[in-house]
Amino acid sequence: MSVQIPDDTDFTSFKEQCENHEGWTARYNKGSVTVWCRDEECKTIQKLKMKIVCKDVTAETLYDVLHDTSYRKKWDSNMIDTHDIGRLTVNADVGYYSWKCPSPLKNRDFVTMRSWLPLGNDYLIINYSVKHPQYPPRKDYVRAVSLLTGYLIQSNGANSSTLYYLTQVDPKGSLPKWVVNRVSQFVAPKAMKKIFKACQKYPEWKRKHNPNLKPWMYPEQNTLPCINVADLVLQRADSLENIDESSLTEEKRAQHHSDDEET
């Protein structure tokens, strides 16, 4: 139950999971985007992996965009709220994130410990769910569990990069099959394309919004309160309430499809 801050071995293992496609099934492969699914023994676990090749976007820009919570509010339309709670080390913190689920499902939220590491020409960001005493589950959200989620950013040269996104999540509920299919066929690829578009606009936006403020690169800029890792507990999925949404039918399909196209 104790929380362990990831070390180099954990980052290396995550990178291998991103690059090794054995046991994964490609569910979407168009243009520069690929989405894979993996069936887990536990049917409540949803495991997805995505990849996008970002031409004319540097690895450094991708890394900044994924860290910059102020900018995320500009491009992540699925997000309801996100904020940093506190820092653990120079490259680890705890944060809160809530996101919209397709109607009629209930919205989900997470409390996660996040850690990041530049590794050669690569950048890695990984997280998993923890319990924080000041952020108990809320009645208006289903508290979901990230077993392992993260990004691998690889440089393809001076002005090109590849982004992998791998997520292993327990959404704390029996989801209808249409939700799982829609995520892999529409939501996931659109989300990757949205990140790419956000990266293209980021340099200009950042020049106008605290251009030198990057606490993920310069720890001395970090003003978050310190958190003792001993005050955190690993969030176990079986300690949270399960809800059964498997019988829910999809609503307003045309509107959803329109939303997907916008992303």
Side-chain angles (χ1 to χ4, degrees):
M1 294 291 288
S2 63
V3 171
Q4 302 290 329
I5 296 175
D7 58 20
D8 288 359
T9 303
D10 297 308
F11 283 105
T12 301
S13 173
F14 178 79
K15 179 182 177 181
E16 290 173 353
Q17 290 187 61
C18 289
E19 295 178 324
N20 185 353
H21 307 315
E22 185 176 348
W24 293 82
T25 303
R27 297 290 300 276
Y28 180 98
N29 188 6
K30 293 181 183 178
S32 60
V33 179
T34 308
V35 179
W36 297 267
C37 294
R38 184 166 187 148
D39 292 331
E40 296 294 295
E41 292 181 8
C42 179
K43 295 301 181 184
T44 62
I45 305 298
Q46 307 299 321
K47 194 166 185 179
L48 286 174
K49 179 166 60 173
M50 302 154 232
K51 173 187 174 183
I52 183 169
V53 177
C54 300
K55 294 181 179 179
D56 300 320
V57 172
T58 67
E60 291 80 5
T61 296
L62 257 172
Y63 189 58
D64 289 347
V65 166
L66 294 172
H67 269 291
D68 198 327
T69 53
S70 296
Y71 186 60
R72 190 173 197 117
K73 296 168 185 177
K74 301 288 184 183
W75 62 267
D76 188 352
S77 59
N78 292 321
M79 182 190 74
I80 299 171
D81 180 32
T82 186
H83 55 269
D84 299 324
I85 298 171
R87 55 177 165 158
L88 294 164
T89 67
V90 294
N91 70 322
D93 62 17
V94 177
Y96 175 84
Y97 180 84
S98 56
W99 55 288
K100 302 171 190 173
C101 287
S103 179
L105 302 180
K106 289 186 176 182
N107 294 329
R108 262 66 175 176
D109 69 353
F110 296 88
V111 174
T112 61
M113 190 208 69
R114 179 183 62 163
S115 187
W116 55 93
L117 182 72
L119 195 65
N121 291 325
D122 301 334
Y123 297 90
L124 296 101
I125 306 171
I126 59 178
N127 76 57
Y128 61 83
S129 286
V130 296
K131 288 183 183 179
H132 188 284
Q134 296 177 12
Y135 285 81
R138 295 168 45 170
K139 291 183 179 180
D140 50 339
Y141 291 101
V142 176
R143 178 60 52 87
V145 177
S146 167
L147 301 172
L148 177 65
T149 297
Y151 302 93
L152 167 64
I153 304 163
Q154 297 180 317
S155 174
N156 298 334
N159 206 31
S160 178
S161 54
T162 297
L163 172 65
Y164 285 93
Y165 173 63
L166 186 149
T167 179
Q168 186 173 3
V169 169
D170 188 335
K172 295 313 298 173
S174 301
L175 297 178
K177 190 172 182 180
W178 64 262
V179 171
V180 179
N181 289 338
R182 184 168 161 250
V183 166
S184 62
Q185 294 294 319
F186 295 101
V187 178
K190 301 294 182 183
M192 296 298 277
K193 292 173 185 176
K194 177 169 280 190
I195 292 174
F196 175 49
K197 290 180 181 178
C199 288
Q200 292 176 312
K201 298 176 181 179
Y202 181 72
E204 181 180 355
W205 180 90
K206 187 61 175 172
R207 278 194 291 270
K208 302 174 182 177
H209 299 84
N210 298 314
N212 297 318
L213 182 64
K214 295 184 179 183
W216 52 92
M217 292 182 65
Y218 309 113
E220 65 276 9
Q221 296 178 347
N222 197 323
T223 59
L224 290 172
C226 292
I227 297 177
N228 189 331
V229 70
D231 294 334
L232 301 173
V233 178
L234 189 66
Q235 178 66 75
R236 292 175 58 91
D238 56 14
S239 70
L240 294 167
E241 179 185 5
N242 264 313
I243 61 170
D244 187 357
E245 297 174 302
S246 58
S247 62
L248 295 178
T249 56
E250 192 167 13
E251 294 179 353
K252 301 178 183 177
R253 179 67 187 127
Q255 178 181 337
H256 287 329
H257 189 68
S258 175
D259 291 343
D260 286 338
E261 290 301 323
E262 291 176 5
T263 62

